[in-house]
Amino acid sequence: NAGVMQNPRHLVRRRGQEARLRCSPMKGHSHVYWYRQLPEEGLKFMVYLQKENIIDESGMPKERFSAEFPKEGPSILRIQQVVRGDSAAYFCASSPSGGSNQPQHFGDGTRLSIL
Amino acid sequence: GQQVMQIPQYQHVQEGEDFTTYCNSSTTLSNIQWYKQRPGGHPVFLIQLVKSGEVKKQKRLTFQFGEAKKNSSLHITATQTTDVGTYFCARRYGGATNKLIFGTGTLLAVQP
C-alpha cells in the first residue's frame, strides 16, 4: 500500500543543466499536484494534472518549467537550464479525484540543489 | 485575495504547555485543511473542516472553523516533543482546480 513515491529524494545540478523530478501517485489516484517549497517558506502551488491533461498550470513559471502526466508512467516535472533560484523542495501530491473535499497525500519530496 | 495568513510564525513552548495557531482569510472559505510538516519531512494531512462553526478533535488537537468561515484555529493541549513541526492551514482555491493555497505556517518548537 505504497504512498506517493517521488524520486530522486535529493538532486544536485549545476547551473544550466536540466532537472527531472518524478512522481508516482498513490494507487487508484489519478490527480497529481506539484508544489514548491523554498527554504523557511510555505508550499506554493505549481501545477495540477490528470492523466494526459494539464488542468491548471497557473503556478508554473512561464519559461524553463514543464510538467506532464502520461497515460503510462509517473508524472514528470522538468526544469530546463536550472538557476540558483530553482533550489527548493519540490513536493508532489495526489488525490483519487478532483473533488473539493479530497485531501491531498504528499510524497517525501525532491530536494533540488543548484551549484 | 488568495493569501491565507497564519499567526504566529513561530512558537516556542515548554513541554506540557498549550499551543494555538490561527489562520485568517479575507474571503469566505469553502473548506479549510490542516497539515503538519516535521523538520525535513513532507506535509501530512491532519483534518478538513467544511461547516461554519465546526469543531473537531483528534486526541490532544482541537480544530475550529469560524462562524463566518474566514478563520480557523488549531489548538494543542499539553504539548509533547513529538508535536514539533510546522503546522499549515490550506484552503482549496475553488472552480475547476483542486489546488491548495497554503498558509504561511507556524513553526512549533517544544522544549523538554
Side-chain angles (χ1 to χ4, degrees):
Chain A
N1 188 21
V4 177
M5 303 299 292
Q6 286 189 252
N7 69 81
R9 288 291 305 275
H10 300 274
L11 181 61
V12 179
R13 285 287 178 266
R14 296 189 179 278
R15 281 177 294 171
Q17 292 185 319
E18 178 180 288
R20 279 185 174 237
L21 287 61
R22 294 174 183 77
C23 169
S24 295
M26 284 181 70
K27 187 176 181 180
H29 288 195
S30 59
H31 295 244
V32 165
Y33 318 82
W34 286 92
Y35 295 86
R36 177 164 63 176
Q37 186 174 35
L38 295 170
E40 310 298 327
E41 294 190 10
L43 289 90
K44 297 288 192 290
F45 169 79
M46 299 182 75
V47 62
Y48 164 37
L49 311 101
Q50 296 177 34
K51 284 285 187 181
E52 299 184 279
N53 286 306
I54 296 175
I55 306 302
D56 181 349
E57 56 182 345
S58 57
M60 289 279 272
K62 298 296 182 204
E63 298 177 346
R64 303 188 297 109
F65 285 71
S66 61
E68 62 176 6
F69 190 13
K71 188 176 181 181
E72 301 290 337
S75 175
I76 306 286
L77 178 67
R78 182 182 176 206
I79 311 173
Q80 295 178 292
Q81 298 175 328
V82 295
V83 301
R84 288 256 171 88
D86 296 332
S87 295
Y90 292 83
F91 290 97
C92 169
S94 72
S95 66
S97 71
S100 62
N101 292 329
Q102 296 286 336
Q104 296 181 13
H105 301 268
F106 283 79
D108 288 335
T110 294
R111 272 75 179 172
L112 175 64
S113 298
I114 309 302
L115 302 180
Chain B
Q2 294 185 31
Q3 198 170 11
V4 181
M5 300 303 296
Q6 269 185 264
I7 54 171
Q9 279 191 311
Y10 173 77
Q11 184 86 53
H12 182 196
V13 300
Q14 292 287 128
E15 190 172 20
E17 292 182 337
D18 291 356
F19 160 76
T20 304
T21 173
Y22 301 90
C23 182
N24 297 293
S25 171
S26 57
T27 57
T28 302
L29 306 168
S30 58
N31 66 43
I32 194 85
Q33 300 181 5
W34 284 92
Y35 291 80
K36 176 185 178 181
Q37 184 177 24
R38 292 183 184 274
H42 62 275
V44 174
F45 174 78
L46 295 177
I47 209 157
Q48 176 171 268
L49 305 170
V50 296
K51 297 177 183 175
S52 168
E54 189 171 13
V55 177
K56 287 188 176 180
K57 293 193 175 186
Q58 289 180 351
K59 297 183 180 178
R60 294 178 295 103
L61 277 62
T62 301
F63 303 84
Q64 289 189 315
F65 202 6
E67 293 290 342
K69 300 182 76 174
K70 288 187 175 182
N71 56 72
S72 181
S73 65
L74 159 58
H75 179 81
I76 302 178
T77 304
T79 55
Q80 300 174 359
T81 55
T82 53
D83 295 327
V84 164
T86 301
Y87 292 85
F88 292 99
C89 62
R91 57 166 288 204
R92 180 181 172 267
Y93 182 73
T97 181
N98 197 28
K99 70 183 180 186
L100 293 174
I101 307 297
F102 278 84
T104 45
T106 296
L107 173 59
L108 172 63
V110 180
Q111 184 166 354

